């Protein structure tokens, strides 16, 4: 922090903290509303017996004997039937059926009604557990969201500062350019990079380009700034907030090559690239279950949700966990998808590789290739998932190559990693699109037959500005 700069605590930060506390309390309440049931209560078992007694036994001539003097043995027989159903299903076992016929003159009907009562009670238990599972999922979502907004509030409080002298210089410089400044906000991120938010308008009926405005900010601040690229590219007579960020050191370019199963134009693999806050770039590859249109719909849904959450500012792992919970809660049948994501810090050159059930990723640095694999499960299977992540320092000219399972599975088992390493290391191509196409073609040439699964290769190169 330079002289004249004062850290600023915003009342909005305090309010956000209160929101987080409320969400934490709601999450705790959801978890206290009932756990999953693993066994029937004595009241539920009594209810099964009452159902059988009413529908079978009341009209039987031995009713008084069975539910009177012989009450204990009747109950014992009922418990044996329930235990046998648990172990053998509706068919029971021969010994239980023999014992029931010996002591009950209406054995077939008694058994049928007891089985119906048992299955009704088990269905109720399944629904109860499903509701408990949904509450648990909602609790996880709220708890995760509370942690996220609390972390955001802390980052906002730490990054926001006031510098009256800098603000006056900036306002004066803007006025000379014909720009009236309403107010400014200064931020400094954890890497020590500046971000300036300026709400301003043109003083005359002449539009001023954002490029000119950002150039003025750079001159005043003594650092190279760029616009965040969102919104109009000119400043008119209406007040507009312009976000100027300190320019990153690196930039990335991506190239993709893919083919559907059997050569189909429809692929179950999908990908995205997205500029994140703080000078970071996310590249994600998603492989839907199976192939064709259904897999395409699944991976498209995951990619769209991921993009929306990341744009809203959710941390990458939090976004993946929230999508997983949504998919598990949202339907009875299992539809899983893998997520492979590379997040590039364009200030430092560091890359975080995040995987949920995804295939191997390859990093080419100079004349060496490293492959990174994962043992985590895809999303959409379990409520809680393990998300693998590893960080690598990249330099200008390095490449990250991401592939789906279809590419790996096309190569001989046990030789997949070394063959892909050889293909990636052996090419002199530096255009990401050409590199991705080269890798895919080499794998297809190796197999010599149509693709047995959807295949996608995504190559990302990083260079200094």
């Amino acid at each position: 922090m330079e002289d004249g700069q004062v850290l600023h605590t915003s009342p909005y930060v305090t309010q956000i903290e209160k929101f987080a506390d409320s969400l934490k309390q709601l999450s705790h309440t959801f978890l206290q509303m009932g756990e999953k049931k693993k066994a029937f209560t004595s009241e539920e078992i009594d209810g099964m017996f009452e159902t059988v007694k009413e529908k079978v036994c009341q009209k039987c001539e031995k009713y008084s004997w069975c539910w009177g003097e012989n009450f204990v043995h009747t109950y014992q027989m009922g418990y044996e039937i329930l235990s046998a159903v648990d172990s053998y299903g509706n068919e029971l076992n021969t010994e239980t059926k023999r014992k029931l016929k010996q002591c009950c003159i209406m054995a077939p009907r008694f058994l049928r009604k007891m089985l119906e009562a048992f299955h009704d009670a088990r269905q109720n238990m399944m629904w109860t557990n499903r509701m408990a599972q949904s509450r648990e999922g909602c609790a996880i979502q709220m708890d995760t969201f509370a942690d996220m907004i609390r972390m955001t509030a802390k980052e906002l409080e730490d990054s926001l500062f006031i510098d009256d002298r800098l603000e006056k210089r900036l306002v004066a410089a803007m006025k000379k350019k014909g720009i009236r400044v309403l107010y400014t906000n200064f931020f400094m991120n954890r890497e020590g990079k500046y971000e300036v938010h300026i709400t301003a308008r043109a003083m005359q009926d002449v539009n001023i380009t954002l490029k000119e405005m950002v150039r003025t900010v750079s001159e005043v601040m003594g650092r190279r700034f760029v616009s965040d690229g969102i919104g109009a590219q000119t400043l008119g007579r209406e007040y507009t907030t312009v976000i100027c960020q300190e320019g990153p050191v690196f930039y990335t370019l991506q190239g993709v090559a893919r083919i559907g199963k059997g050569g189909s134009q429809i692929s179950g693999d999908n990908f995205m690239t997205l500029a994140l806050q703080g000078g970071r770039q996310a590249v994600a590859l998603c492989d839907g279950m199976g192939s064709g249109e259904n897999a395409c719909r699944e991976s498209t849904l995951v990619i769209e949700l991921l993009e929306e959450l990341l744009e809203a500012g959710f941390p990458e792992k939090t976004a993946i966990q929230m999508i997983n919970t949504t998919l598990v809660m949202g339907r009875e049948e299992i539809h899983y998808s893998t997520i492979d994501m590379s997040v590039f810090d364009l200030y430092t050159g560091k890359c975080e590789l995040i995987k949920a059930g995804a295939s191997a990723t390859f990093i080419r640095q100079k004349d060496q290739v490293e492959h990174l694999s994962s043992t985590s499960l895809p999303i959409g299977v379990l409520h809680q998932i393990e998300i693998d992540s590893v960080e690598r320092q990249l330099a200008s000219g390095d490449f990250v190559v991401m592939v789906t399972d279809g590419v790996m599975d096309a190569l001989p088992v046990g030789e997949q990693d070394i063959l892909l390493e050889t293909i990636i290391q052996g090419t002199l191509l530096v255009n990401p699109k050409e590199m991705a196409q080269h890798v895919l073609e080499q794998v297809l040439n190796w197999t010599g037959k149509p693709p047995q699964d959807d295949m996608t290769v995504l190559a990302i190169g990083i260079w200094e500005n």
Side-chain angles (χ1 to χ4, degrees):
M1 191 67 66
E2 298 173 2
D3 292 341
Q5 294 178 355
V6 180
L7 283 172
H8 178 64
T9 302
S10 168
Y12 298 111
V13 173
T14 305
Q15 187 61 51
I16 291 172
E17 287 279 3
K18 290 179 180 178
F19 286 148
D21 290 339
S22 298
L23 282 171
K24 285 281 186 182
Q25 186 59 45
L26 278 172
S27 171
H28 179 74
T29 302
F30 263 57
L31 288 175
Q32 297 299 313
M33 287 175 67
E35 298 179 354
K36 294 178 186 176
K37 292 178 64 176
K38 296 180 180 178
F40 295 119
T41 63
S42 57
E43 289 81 7
E44 287 172 324
I45 293 174
D46 287 343
M48 294 183 214
F49 288 150
E50 286 298 320
T51 298
V52 175
K53 186 196 299 186
E54 178 184 340
K55 294 184 176 180
V56 179
C57 302
Q58 280 186 347
K59 297 178 182 179
C60 178
E61 59 190 52
K62 294 185 68 178
Y63 174 79
S64 299
W65 162 254
C66 293
W67 296 99
E69 299 174 45
N70 205 36
F71 172 81
V72 174
H73 291 95
T74 303
Y75 251 72
Q76 186 177 358
M77 188 69 248
Y79 273 107
E80 283 189 31
I81 292 172
L82 294 179
S83 298
V85 174
D86 235 6
S87 302
Y88 299 97
N90 287 358
E91 294 303 317
L92 302 187
N93 59 339
T94 307
E95 180 62 21
T96 304
K97 289 181 179 179
R98 186 186 64 77
K99 287 177 68 175
L100 179 61
K101 287 180 180 178
Q102 284 180 341
C103 65
C104 179
I105 62 175
M106 301 182 71
R109 194 171 176 209
F110 183 94
L111 178 59
R112 187 169 66 251
K113 291 301 177 184
M114 181 62 81
L115 289 173
E116 287 177 5
F118 171 82
H119 288 302
D120 287 345
R122 190 166 62 177
Q123 189 67 36
N124 287 335
M125 180 189 287
M126 288 172 61
W127 281 111
T128 300
N129 286 345
R130 182 169 290 279
M131 286 189 286
Q133 189 180 40
S134 296
R135 284 195 298 269
E136 182 184 348
C138 288
I140 292 170
Q141 296 277 36
M142 285 189 287
D143 204 55
T144 301
F145 186 53
D147 289 336
M148 189 274 293
I149 64 174
R150 183 170 283 162
M151 181 182 68
T152 302
K154 182 70 169 65
E155 287 183 353
L156 177 61
E157 188 174 23
D158 291 344
S159 65
L160 184 62
F161 67 88
I162 295 174
D163 190 327
D164 291 332
R165 286 182 297 177
L166 189 58
E167 183 175 12
K168 286 177 182 177
R169 293 210 314 268
L170 193 56
V171 170
M174 290 292 176
K175 189 175 182 181
K176 288 181 181 179
K177 300 289 185 180
I179 300 170
R180 183 182 298 280
V181 177
L182 183 62
Y183 56 80
T184 61
N185 285 310
F186 297 98
F187 302 87
M188 182 183 289
N189 63 24
R190 67 184 77 176
E191 289 82 24
K193 303 298 180 182
Y194 281 83
E195 189 171 300
V196 184
H197 295 205
I198 306 171
T199 300
R201 67 174 177 85
M203 296 169 65
Q204 305 295 329
D205 287 327
V206 178
N207 287 340
I208 298 169
T209 65
L210 256 59
K211 188 177 292 186
E212 185 178 352
M213 185 177 176
V214 172
R215 190 183 304 121
T216 304
V217 174
S218 299
E219 291 169 0
V220 172
M221 301 286 290
R223 296 165 180 253
R224 190 176 71 86
F225 280 81
V226 295
S227 168
D228 67 350
I230 300 173
Q233 296 303 301
T234 57
L235 195 68
R237 292 301 298 270
E238 298 292 328
Y239 278 109
T240 305
T241 299
V242 178
I243 298 175
C244 303
Q245 302 167 331
E246 197 167 343
V249 177
F250 297 92
Y251 69 95
T252 63
L253 291 174
Q254 302 83 34
V256 66
R258 56 180 179 165
I259 188 170
K261 181 179 179 180
S264 170
Q265 295 298 310
I266 300 174
S267 173
D269 303 337
N270 263 297
F271 66 95
M272 71 158 198
T273 62
L274 184 67
L276 303 178
Q277 296 174 354
R280 296 182 306 140
Q281 182 85 24
V283 182
L285 182 58
C286 177
D287 183 357
M289 181 178 74
S291 60
E293 291 186 9
N294 290 335
C296 183
R297 278 195 295 270
E298 193 71 19
S299 61
T300 300
L301 170 65
V302 171
I303 283 291
E304 288 177 349
L305 285 172
L306 184 61
E307 187 171 0
E308 190 165 328
L309 290 171
L310 293 180
E311 281 186 332
F314 284 85
E316 295 80 29
K317 292 179 185 176
T318 301
I320 293 172
Q321 181 63 65
M322 293 181 75
I323 294 170
N324 175 71
T325 305
T326 302
L327 295 182
V328 173
M329 285 175 55
R331 49 203 172 189
E332 294 184 18
E333 70 278 10
I334 293 177
H335 286 278
Y336 62 80
S337 294
T338 67
I339 292 182
D340 199 356
M341 183 156 53
S342 299
V343 182
F344 299 85
D345 187 323
L346 302 181
Y347 289 116
T348 64
K350 290 181 179 177
C351 177
E352 184 179 13
L353 305 165
I354 302 169
K355 291 178 175 293
S359 187
T361 296
F362 298 82
I363 300 177
R364 192 181 81 173
Q365 295 181 289
K366 295 182 180 177
D367 58 347
Q368 294 184 332
V369 176
E370 177 188 13
H371 85 268
L372 301 164
S373 54
S374 167
T375 57
S376 59
L377 287 172
I379 62 170
V381 180
L382 301 175
H383 262 289
Q384 289 282 15
I385 59 168
E386 294 293 327
I387 300 172
D388 293 334
S389 71
V390 65
E391 194 174 84
R392 290 291 183 269
Q393 178 67 55
L394 303 180
S396 183
D398 289 347
F399 274 85
V400 174
V401 180
M402 304 158 68
V403 299
T404 54
D405 284 338
V407 176
M408 298 294 287
D409 294 342
L411 298 171
V413 176
E415 301 177 42
Q416 299 162 327
D417 294 331
I418 190 67
L419 285 172
L420 271 175
E421 283 180 28
T422 303
I423 291 170
I424 294 168
Q425 190 173 0
T427 178
L428 298 176
L429 296 169
V430 292
N431 180 298
K433 174 67 177 176
E434 292 176 357
M435 178 181 285
Q437 193 64 44
H438 171 77
V439 172
L440 182 61
E441 286 175 356
Q442 290 296 306
V443 173
L444 289 172
N445 289 340
W446 184 274
T447 62
K449 55 185 178 181
Q452 303 300 299
D453 192 6
D454 300 324
M455 301 169 69
T456 300
V457 179
L458 189 54
I460 311 102
I462 185 169
W463 293 274
E464 283 189 37
N465 275 313

